[in-house]
Amino acid sequence: MNDVRMIISDLDFTLLNCQFALSEETKRVLTQVIAKGIAFIPCSSRAMSDIPQWFREQKEIPYIVASNGALIMRNHDGKLCVKHTLALSQVKKILAAVNRINPYWSCSINGKLHSHLRIIDDREALDIRGSYLENILKTRILESEPSFLDAYSEEDTIEKLHFIINPEQPQEKQALLDQLAAEFPDLHISSSHPKNIEITHPQATKGAALRWLMEQLNCTKEQVMACGDNENDISMLELAEYRISVANATQQVKNIANYHGEDHDKEGCAKMIASLVLEDGLV
């Protein structure tokens, strides 16, 4: 596929393995892709500070997209080119409104993830274990109450608010979705995993980010490949000619995709990219 000029990919449960890391084989494939002159763009629901350092080190990667499109950073100099963030007053209202239904929130502020301490206290009920638990303990600032927000102002950057859902109580997810839709209709609500709900600025979507990137890099839909696994990836997949899903993707994503790779922990995304855009595949 010599016409592909841009590859944009989700990270968790798509390009990263079950240890939330880039395998050496995946790094090798991406290095070869970049060497071919193809613009590779990581596009994640993660906060900007939580994007794996390897991507920052590859200065040929032109942009990095974080928090579902809330921030787009130019990689070679770290300049923020796009910033669609939540207002502090909005976040306070949301947490106050839904605390009774779900207290398991995380909030990305100034590039740092703050999470309610109850996520750790109730980790067994939330089925948080292994590398997922390790990642939370390593990357989050734990807070006892939403009142920690009082230390911030409207000048601070709030990229995203998200909630973890108890897998044993799916009715709580629907109740939370219903309340958010009724009380905060102007915000964007999506999910990057069956057990979470993510809230961003209405213009902070992966699809909007991809449109902006296509303009900057002068790419048409026919020159774009997109890779994903979950609901928050759909808007960018729909804009790409070549749409890759991994085996662990949701059925909706699989239905949209026109190429289907193996599970994320078997490097399915990287293998599919290699087979489609590298002349000799995985060599």
Side-chain angles (χ1 to χ4, degrees), residues 82-264:
V82 173
K83 183 178 177 181
H84 296 306
T85 53
L86 296 169
L88 178 65
S89 56
Q90 285 180 313
V91 173
K92 287 183 175 181
K93 287 179 182 178
I94 294 169
L95 292 181
V98 305
N99 188 66
R100 178 184 58 82
I101 298 176
N102 189 313
Y104 306 119
W105 47 260
S106 292
C107 184
S108 175
I109 306 179
N110 299 334
K112 303 287 186 181
L113 268 172
H114 299 252
S115 296
H116 198 302
L117 185 60
R118 284 189 61 179
I119 290 175
I120 301 302
D121 293 341
D122 298 344
R123 59 187 178 275
E124 291 186 8
L126 296 172
D127 193 29
I128 295 174
R129 63 189 70 194
S131 57
Y132 185 21
L133 176 60
E134 292 174 11
N135 188 59
I136 289 177
L137 292 173
K138 182 174 64 175
T139 62
R140 312 289 176 87
I141 300 170
L142 298 176
E143 307 286 357
S144 58
E145 296 294 339
S147 58
F148 85 95
L149 290 166
D150 293 339
Y152 295 89
S153 74
E154 294 291 356
E155 300 303 313
D156 291 291
T157 298
I158 304 181
E159 301 174 36
K160 184 183 70 168
L161 178 66
H162 78 260
F163 296 88
I164 296 177
I165 309 300
N166 188 328
E168 299 298 324
Q169 298 179 353
Q171 71 278 5
E172 286 190 2
K173 182 174 184 178
Q174 192 57 54
L176 181 57
L177 286 170
D178 292 343
Q179 184 171 358
L180 289 169
E183 297 186 29
F184 306 97
D186 295 333
L187 298 178
H188 184 72
I189 302 171
S190 64
S191 178
S192 62
H193 188 273
K195 293 194 299 184
N196 79 14
I197 292 174
E198 302 184 330
I199 301 170
T200 56
H201 185 280
Q203 295 179 48
T205 69
K206 292 189 177 184
L210 178 53
R211 287 191 191 93
W212 185 89
L213 291 164
M214 289 167 68
E215 291 180 4
Q216 303 307 305
L217 299 174
N218 194 28
C219 289
T220 65
K221 174 180 179 177
E222 291 73 24
Q223 296 170 318
V224 176
M225 177 179 290
C227 315
D229 76 299
N230 220 301
E231 176 188 332
N232 64 327
D233 300 317
I234 290 174
S235 62
M236 73 173 181
L237 289 166
E238 289 176 334
L239 290 175
E241 181 72 17
Y242 307 105
R243 304 176 296 278
I244 295 175
S245 71
V246 283
N248 51 284
T250 65
Q251 191 58 50
Q252 189 176 9
V253 168
K254 290 178 180 177
N255 291 344
I256 292 171
N258 48 14
Y259 298 94
H260 302 87
E262 295 181 83
D263 189 274
H264 75 114

Side-chain angles (χ1 to χ4, degrees), residues 10-17 20 192-193 228-229 246 248-249 264:
D10 173 52
L11 297 185
D12 292 296
F13 305 102
T14 300
L15 200 64
L16 305 185
N17 60 27
F20 298 98
S192 62
H193 188 273
D229 76 299
V246 283
N248 51 284
H264 75 114

